[in-house]
Amino acid sequence: MYARSRALPATLGALAGVALVGAWAAWWLQAQPRFDHTARVPVVVLAPLLAAAAIGTGMYTHSDELDRTAVRPWWPRRLAALLGLTALASALLAAGVPGHPEAFGGPAAVRNLLGATGVTAGAAALLGARRSWLPMTAYTSGVYLAAPRVPGGAAALWAWPVQPGPQAGAWLAAVVAYGCGAGVYVWRGARREGR
């Protein structure tokens, strides 16, 4: 019942679709004659963003009154659902994006998924699940346009979605975003939304 109330089948279908399209785009970019490792940047930025949006909108519940008045706390279910969907999406994206870890491959896609899912989960708690995808989309768009071409340095912290895979600062920023956003969502749940 919990899975159906959170539209889990639709979320799983959306994650599978994002992973398939992301894998196709990554392989197509790799097959181009003028390919280099930076050509995969749109894939490792957009595929995790779309997967996080699917996870975030799946946090909407039609029965928030029941959630608030339940005898047992809901936070273990919210935590299990969030961790399970994040792990599944990470595995799908890591398998679908080819490339070396030092380039824009699977590790960068997993890192971006963690950060984007954390921001989306926090936004679901503050703005509501239906609008949870907006803050990360706006942030990623700004970073994609404003990030410096040379990776590393201070930009690894604020421009983590467009950094290569092994950048320690980018991983730190993404893991902190995931931990904070997931913590707020697990504790509070998605914000109640009007009909």
Side-chain angles (χ1 to χ4, degrees), residues 33-49:
R34 303 184 110 204
F35 174 82
D36 70 345
H37 70 279
T38 59
R40 284 190 303 261
V41 171
V43 175
V44 299
V45 171
L46 290 177
L49 181 64

Side-chain angles (χ1 to χ4, degrees):
M1 185 166 99
Y2 180 82
R4 267 193 330 188
S5 72
R6 300 311 191 271
L8 187 63
T11 303
L12 292 174
L15 290 178
V18 166
L20 287 173
V21 170
W24 173 82
W27 286 104
W28 181 80
L29 286 170
Q30 191 171 3
Q32 299 305 304
R34 303 184 110 204
F35 174 82
D36 70 345
H37 70 279
T38 59
R40 284 190 303 261
V41 171
V43 175
V44 299
V45 171
L46 290 177
L49 181 64
L50 293 173
I55 293 171
T57 55
M59 294 174 183
Y60 177 75
T61 178
H62 297 283
S63 62
D64 55 351
E65 296 89 5
L66 294 175
D67 291 0
R68 288 194 308 274
T69 60
V71 175
R72 293 186 183 138
W74 281 90
W75 72 264
R77 291 173 187 85
R78 287 193 289 262
L79 178 63
L82 183 60
L83 291 177
L85 289 172
T86 303
L88 176 65
S90 295
L92 290 172
L93 290 178
V97 179
H100 302 290
E102 66 274 3
F104 293 95
V110 170
R111 180 203 59 224
N112 289 348
L113 176 77
L114 288 175
T117 303
V119 172
T120 302
L126 300 174
L127 302 174
R130 292 179 179 169
R131 292 182 291 271
S132 64
W133 58 274
L134 286 170
M136 191 61 207
T137 301
Y139 180 74
T140 301
S141 300
V143 165
Y144 192 78
L145 296 174
R149 290 207 168 277
V150 178
L157 292 174
W158 66 268
W160 55 267
V162 294
Q163 297 293 309
Q167 291 291 327
W171 274 97
L172 175 66
V175 168
V176 167
Y178 185 77
C180 292
V184 170
Y185 168 72
V186 167
W187 174 56
R188 289 189 57 188
R191 181 180 178 201
R192 185 177 183 184
E193 299 181 50
R195 299 265 183 260

